[in-house]
């Protein structure tokens, strides 16, 4: 996985078919621990493609956009 920024959307490149939402938040540096990610996801603070997502095991794939605290990232294929 690698991180790159493009304007206001941070691109997160993955080299697998998907990344779970909880792991994505940790990898992006938006949450320090899995426990923090779990709380924020289950608390309804995270949007996936513009919709609140409370499933920490949600599989995010290339093209998905995730928003937290006014910041947005997009999952991109890194192959």
């Amino acid at each position: 996985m690698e991180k790159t920024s493009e304007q206001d959307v941070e691109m997160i490149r993955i080299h697998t078919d998907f990344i779970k939402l909880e792991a994505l938040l940790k990898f992006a540096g938006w949450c320090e621990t899995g426990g923090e990610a779990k709380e924020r996801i289950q608390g309804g603070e995270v949007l996936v493609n513009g919709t609140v997502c409370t499933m920490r095991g949600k599989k995010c794939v290339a093209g998905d956009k995730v928003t937290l605290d006014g910041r947005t990232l997009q999952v991109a294929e890194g192959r």
Side-chain angles (χ1 to χ4, degrees), residues 30-48:
W30 290 4
C31 293
E32 291 186 20
T33 65
E36 178 187 356
K38 176 182 174 182
E39 285 181 24
R40 302 204 65 190
I41 294 165
Q42 291 181 338
E45 298 179 48
V46 180
L47 302 177
V48 176

Side-chain angles (χ1 to χ4, degrees), residues 8-73:
D8 292 341
V9 177
E10 183 178 348
M11 301 296 287
I12 301 290
R13 298 195 182 280
I14 60 172
H15 300 282
T16 57
D17 292 335
F18 66 88
I19 183 171
K20 290 186 179 181
L21 182 57
E22 178 180 21
L24 179 62
L25 296 180
K26 290 189 300 182
F27 177 71
W30 290 4
C31 293
E32 291 186 20
T33 65
E36 178 187 356
K38 176 182 174 182
E39 285 181 24
R40 302 204 65 190
I41 294 165
Q42 291 181 338
E45 298 179 48
V46 180
L47 302 177
V48 176
N49 298 323
T51 304
V52 171
C53 181
T54 57
M55 299 179 298
R56 65 187 174 117
K58 164 88 173 141
K59 293 179 180 179
C60 297
V61 297
D64 283 347
K65 288 187 176 180
V66 177
T67 304
L68 175 65
D69 295 336
R71 298 177 293 179
T72 300
L73 65 79

